[in-house]
């Protein structure tokens, strides 16, 4: 497969026909970023049912980090599927689960001895990390931040920040959650122009919250994302991340690092935390773990995870044999792809910085490695978010064969998250389309 190749209007007739089924039978509450229906995908390309081929810069929201259907992952899946589909880890153990736990423990940025267990979705991993943290600490409090996204279940929705659409109308959340300001360097909530200073002030809020909101003895954990993903691809200052570790140590509170979007090579390192030089007590993983098969994990300090009584954690499908086999093959491929990923990140960032110099509507370029984003504003002085322009750029890109998605509290951030092993010429083609799409959207204001 190669692309982009556009052979019909978008959406084409077959996509439109199938989308009628979606309209009729699927609740409207699910996001619908594009109106196309996909037939097959390989590497960085996606082909729709009308034969249009797109370059995929959304990677299924940071899932197909090493491309669609990598050969080695396909072989691992089919090999495992022919032998064993399910026992449930509670009933009888199997090799792929155990080998995956061993691998993640050996690779994860956890201080000291660690263990790992598996679940089905990102939100379920976060639920479990919080459950275990509360159990271990015998404390209810969880400190979370503005701009955070940790999922849509009843507990994780309460940890997530953005009200509409994620929380609006769903009412009471799980008690004990304290939300504090997040150091968003481009829009520092304290008005600071200095990124590191912004981070330090955010830490002071936590110290103050321990006096005014919740006592550290009653706080189980602080949870944060090394890059606030859905919140707008916001990279926190180093001072903040290092300070979170120091505060957690000072007060004996656990540090849960949600790497569901940032992990698995997404930032050019296996874990984004490696950019900050600290270790976590618990890490949550999912998305990019298994190239699209559903699986998630909590990797954490052995004393913390082993504190829970038998039967207190787990689930029927968590870490099923096929997903675990896919994860083992995916992680090996990610590890091999990391040097390439760093170069992809450098090229991407350089091109985005050039676009920043060219287009006033780009207020900010940010990210780590091949997890980058631009924030669109009406003008650089007011920084007024420009959501409609963002939508028009994404639409224009789709019509030219490039799939992009937005992010952010104001819906004015475009994330650029290609497969980390994308060929340089495909990357170059996609970035050319991206620039054309910006120009097109500005021309058609
Ligand atoms: C950082 C983070 N945590 C948790 C989740 C929830 O994962 P899931 O959608 O698999 O429940 C997401 C999903 O976008 C995420 O980005």
């Amino acid at each position: 497969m190669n692309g982009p190749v556009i052979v019909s209007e978008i959406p084409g007739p077959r996509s439109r026909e199938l989308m009628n089924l979606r309209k009729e039978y699927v609740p409207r509450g699910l996001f619908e970023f594009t109106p196309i229906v996909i037939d097959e995908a390989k590497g960085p390309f996606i082909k729709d049912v009308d034969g249009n081929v797109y370059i995929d810069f959304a990677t299924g929201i940071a899932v197909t980090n090493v491309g669609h259907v990598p050969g080695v992952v396909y072989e691992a899946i089919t090999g495992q599927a022919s032998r064993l589909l399910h026992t449930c880890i509670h009933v009888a153990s199997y090799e792929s689960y155990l080998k995956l736990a061993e691998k993640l423990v050996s690779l994860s940025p956890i201080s000291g001895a660690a263990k790992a267990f598996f679940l089905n979705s990102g939100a379920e991993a976060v639920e479990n990390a919080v459950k275990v943290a509360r159990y271990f600490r015998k404390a209810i409090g969880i400190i979370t931040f503005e701009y955070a996204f940790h999922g849509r279940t009843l507990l994780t929705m309460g940890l997530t920040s953005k009200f509409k659409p994620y929380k609006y109308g769903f009412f009471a959340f799980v008690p004990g959650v304290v939300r504090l300001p997040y150091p968003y360097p481009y829009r520092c909530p304290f008005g600071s122009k200095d990124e590191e200073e912004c981070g330090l002030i955010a830490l002071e809020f936590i110290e103050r919250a321990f006096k005014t909101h919740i006592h550290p003895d009653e706080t189980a954990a602080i949870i944060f994302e090394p890059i606030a993903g859905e919140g707008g691809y916001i990279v926190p200052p180093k001072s903040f991340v290092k300070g979170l570790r120091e505060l957690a140590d000072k007060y004996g509170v656990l540090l849960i690092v949600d790497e569901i979007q940032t992990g698995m090579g997404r930032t050019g390192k296996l874990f984004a935390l490696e950019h900050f030089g600290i270790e976590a007590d618990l890490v949550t993983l999912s998305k990019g773990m298994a190239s699209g098969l559903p699986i998630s994990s909590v990797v954490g300090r052995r004393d913390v995870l082993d504190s829970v009584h038998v039967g207190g954690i787990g689930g029927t499908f968590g870490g099923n044999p096929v997903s675990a086999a896919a994860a083992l093959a995916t992680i090996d491929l990610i590890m091999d792809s990391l040097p390439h990923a760093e170069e992809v990140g450098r090229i991407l960032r350089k091109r985005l910085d050039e676009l920043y110099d060219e287009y006033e509507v780009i207020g900010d370029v940010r990210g780590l490695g091949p997890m980058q984003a631009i924030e669109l504003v009406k003008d650089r002085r007011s920084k007024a978010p420009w959501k409609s322009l963002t939508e028009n750029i994404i639409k224009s890109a789709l019509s030219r064969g490039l799939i992009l998605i937005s992010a952010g509290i104001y819906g004015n951030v475009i994330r650029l998250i290609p497969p980390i092993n994308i060929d340089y010429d495909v990357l170059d083609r996609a970035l050319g389309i991206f620039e054309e799409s910006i120009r097109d959207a500005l021309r058609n204001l």
Side-chain angles (χ1 to χ4, degrees):
M1 207 180 292
N2 204 348
V5 179
I6 299 300
V7 294
S8 79
E9 56 184 331
I10 292 174
R14 183 84 181 117
S15 277
R16 285 204 303 273
E17 192 186 318
L18 287 168
M19 285 302 270
N20 283 335
L21 294 178
R22 177 165 174 157
K23 205 170 286 161
E24 191 63 25
Y25 298 113
V26 180
R28 66 190 182 106
L30 283 82
F31 274 134
E32 189 188 305
F33 289 142
T34 67
I36 53 177
V37 176
I38 302 309
D39 182 30
E40 57 174 322
K42 185 74 189 161
F45 302 111
I46 283 189
K47 189 194 251 182
D48 73 15
V49 288
D50 294 286
N52 300 297
V53 180
Y54 309 84
I55 301 174
D56 183 11
F57 259 43
T59 47
I61 318 191
V63 170
T64 52
N65 286 351
V66 276
H68 289 279
V69 202
V72 287
V73 177
Y74 175 75
E75 278 162 29
I77 291 170
T78 49
Q80 180 62 55
S82 68
R83 291 198 314 281
L84 175 72
L85 287 178
H86 179 73
T87 64
C88 180
I89 194 67
H90 302 193
V91 176
S93 302
Y94 42 90
E95 192 171 340
S96 54
Y97 191 111
L98 306 176
K99 284 271 161 66
L100 184 59
E102 179 190 36
K103 188 178 281 278
L104 284 178
V105 163
S106 73
L107 295 169
S108 294
I110 301 289
S111 18
K115 287 195 170 183
F117 68 109
F118 303 107
L119 306 132
N120 301 289
S121 69
E124 199 186 356
V126 174
E127 290 261 350
N128 275 271
V130 169
K131 255 176 78 173
V132 172
R134 283 182 166 175
Y135 191 101
F136 178 78
R137 290 273 302 142
K138 297 187 175 39
I140 187 175
I142 302 289
I143 292 181
T144 181
F145 297 97
E146 289 176 344
Y147 301 97
F149 185 91
H150 297 294
R152 287 186 173 83
T153 57
L154 201 56
L155 172 102
T156 59
M157 184 173 51
L159 298 173
T160 288
S161 173
K162 190 176 179 180
F163 248 88
K164 245 183 172 173
Y166 304 124
K167 294 155 66 157
Y168 183 78
F170 296 113
F171 303 107
F173 307 117
V174 171
V177 173
V178 174
R179 184 177 315 286
L180 296 175
Y182 184 78
Y184 181 170
Y186 181 61
R187 299 177 189 275
C188 178
F190 323 112
S192 173
K193 299 250 181 302
D194 181 83
E195 180 171 337
E196 296 304 322
E197 182 186 73
C198 188
L200 293 173
I201 302 173
L203 293 171
E204 283 169 20
F205 268 73
I206 303 175
E207 285 273 13
R208 203 163 82 199
F210 281 150
K211 296 205 168 15
T212 59
H213 280 57
I214 192 156
H215 195 277
D217 292 350
E218 292 171 9
T219 304
I222 300 170
I223 183 166
F224 81 105
E225 299 159 81
I227 298 179
E230 297 308 304
Y233 275 41
I234 307 164
V235 186
K238 281 215 163 74
S239 60
F240 178 71
V241 177
K242 281 189 186 303
L244 287 181
R245 181 68 269 174
E246 284 161 17
L247 278 179
D249 289 342
K250 180 172 165 191
Y251 292 108
V253 168
L254 297 177
L255 190 61
I256 304 174
V257 181
D258 184 346
E259 289 253 21
I260 287 166
Q261 187 149 172
T262 54
M264 296 296 118
R266 189 62 266 162
T267 66
K269 300 200 183 290
L270 191 62
F271 297 92
L273 209 50
E274 294 169 42
H275 292 278
F276 297 93
I278 66 151
E279 291 180 319
D281 298 308
L282 295 166
V283 173
T284 52
L285 297 168
S286 187
K287 286 192 182 283
M289 267 179 82
S291 295
L293 265 68
I295 188 167
S296 64
S297 181
V298 180
V299 191
R301 268 171 43 192
R302 183 177 287 212
D303 58 334
V304 176
L305 293 186
D306 268 346
S307 70
V308 177
H309 58 269
V310 174
I313 51 176
T316 304
F317 291 122
N320 89 78
V322 182
S323 291
L328 282 165
T330 298
I331 294 169
D332 284 347
L333 187 54
I334 290 171
M335 295 301 286
D336 289 346
S337 306
L338 290 178
H340 184 87
E342 286 189 13
E343 186 56 19
V344 167
R346 272 191 289 275
I347 295 170
L348 188 54
R349 182 53 181 255
K350 184 167 173 286
R351 287 287 288 274
L352 295 179
D353 284 340
E354 284 164 12
L355 293 179
Y356 176 88
D357 292 339
E358 184 90 3
Y359 299 94
E360 278 285 309
V361 291
I362 300 177
D364 196 24
V365 177
R366 54 181 180 250
L368 293 172
M371 180 173 180
Q372 296 285 330
I374 61 164
E375 176 158 355
L376 291 144
V377 292
K378 292 195 171 144
D379 66 88
R380 284 188 184 165
R381 192 195 280 259
S382 75
K383 299 185 181 175
W386 204 347
K387 187 174 178 205
S388 60
L389 180 72
T390 308
E391 290 166 349
N392 289 341
I393 293 171
I394 290 174
K395 218 167 153 190
S396 173
L398 186 72
S399 72
R400 293 172 155 73
L402 175 65
I403 297 182
L404 295 168
I405 51 174
S406 64
I409 297 296
Y410 311 107
N412 68 326
V413 173
I414 297 179
R415 36 186 148 183
L416 296 113
I417 43 173
I420 63 170
N421 57 353
I422 191 170
D423 284 346
Y424 299 132
D425 65 316
V426 183
L427 177 65
D428 186 58
R429 234 177 288 158
L431 290 168
I433 296 173
F434 185 49
E435 178 163 13
E436 276 170 36
S437 308
I438 296 174
R439 238 182 286 136
D440 180 54
L442 286 171
R443 233 186 351 253
N444 291 309
L445 280 178

